[in-house]
Amino acid sequence: MITIITGTNRKNSKSKQIASHVYGLLVEKSNEEVQFLALEDLPADFIQPDMYESSNQHPDIRQLQETYMIPAQKFIFVVPEYNGGIPGILKVFIDACSIYQYKETFHGDKKAGIIGVSSGRSGTLRGMDYMTGFLNYLKIHVMPNRLPISLIDEILPDDELTHEKTIELLDQFTDQFLAF
């Protein structure tokens, strides 16, 4: 199973639009089950002081973990750049999933691909480096060819992906990811 995760809880984000395009490509190209987790659907009240104790894990987080994280063998993270890094909500979500069935969630031969989305020119390069580090720490193998998408406001001006080069790069990325 492949789980695509948008790395922000911002409603109707550009990252979600890119992730939706990737979802369509994977469904078309793969015989594997593909799931889509938009962090905008996280429960608003899951962050609390006792959240790092298994007995206090928010029930909705546990359900998301059991549905999207534990059964997945591959992940694609579509992550926007926030303040030179990644959105804190993505890291908090990963941390919240680390208190329950840690090894089942992260260990094994799990793999990840990372797509960075930025309105600037960097395409979230620093954020993708940071993510690679903590995903490797969690024993998730990260595909070396990470895809930075820069100038997203020019690529998705009307919330419709029509930029031919980006469409081509996403197509190549999904082929490489499926072979990874």
Side-chain angles (χ1 to χ4, degrees):
M1 176 191 314
I2 300 170
T3 296
I4 300 170
I5 300 173
T6 59
T8 180
N9 59 342
R10 182 176 286 179
K11 299 284 184 196
N12 303 311
S13 68
K14 304 272 187 193
S15 298
K16 185 177 180 184
Q17 294 168 9
I18 295 294
S20 295
H21 183 82
V22 171
Y23 174 83
L25 289 171
L26 290 173
V27 167
E28 176 185 310
K29 294 178 178 190
S30 175
N31 293 327
E32 296 182 61
E33 180 182 353
V34 182
Q35 297 189 109
F36 189 96
L37 175 59
L39 293 189
E40 69 184 49
D41 297 329
L42 289 175
D45 62 346
F46 89 94
I47 300 174
Q48 37 116 351
D50 296 329
M51 66 184 272
Y52 298 108
E53 297 174 25
S54 185
S55 61
N56 291 325
Q57 186 182 45
H58 194 287
D60 292 343
I61 295 298
R62 183 165 293 190
Q63 178 63 38
L64 291 171
Q65 186 175 351
E66 289 175 345
T67 303
Y68 295 97
M69 302 298 287
I70 293 171
Q73 288 303 305
K74 290 183 174 181
F75 302 99
I76 291 183
F77 293 92
V78 182
V79 183
E81 179 177 350
Y82 279 22
N83 301 316
I86 65 169
I89 195 70
L90 174 59
K91 184 64 167 78
V92 171
F93 174 70
I94 296 292
D95 291 346
C97 290
S98 71
I99 61 163
Y100 168 72
Q101 294 193 359
Y102 178 81
K103 288 185 178 181
E104 294 83 354
T105 303
F106 300 113
H107 290 197
D109 196 27
K110 295 197 178 200
K111 298 177 180 176
I114 304 173
I115 299 172
V117 177
S118 173
S119 59
R121 295 188 180 273
S122 76
T124 318
L125 292 174
R126 286 185 296 253
M128 290 189 299
D129 284 345
Y130 172 67
M131 278 197 71
T132 299
F134 76 72
L135 290 173
N136 286 162
Y137 178 84
L138 294 169
K139 304 209 183 324
I140 295 175
H141 307 284
V142 178
M143 185 171 84
N145 184 21
R146 300 167 303 175
L147 178 60
I149 300 176
S150 304
L151 305 172
I152 191 66
D153 294 325
E154 293 176 23
I155 291 169
L156 281 170
D158 300 317
D159 296 334
E160 183 178 335
L161 183 58
T162 58
H163 189 260
E164 289 182 30
K165 184 63 177 174
T166 302
I167 291 170
E168 179 184 325
L169 289 170
L170 289 168
D171 189 57
Q172 291 171 3
F173 179 88
T174 55
D175 287 343
Q176 292 169 3
F177 181 76
L178 290 171
F180 176 58

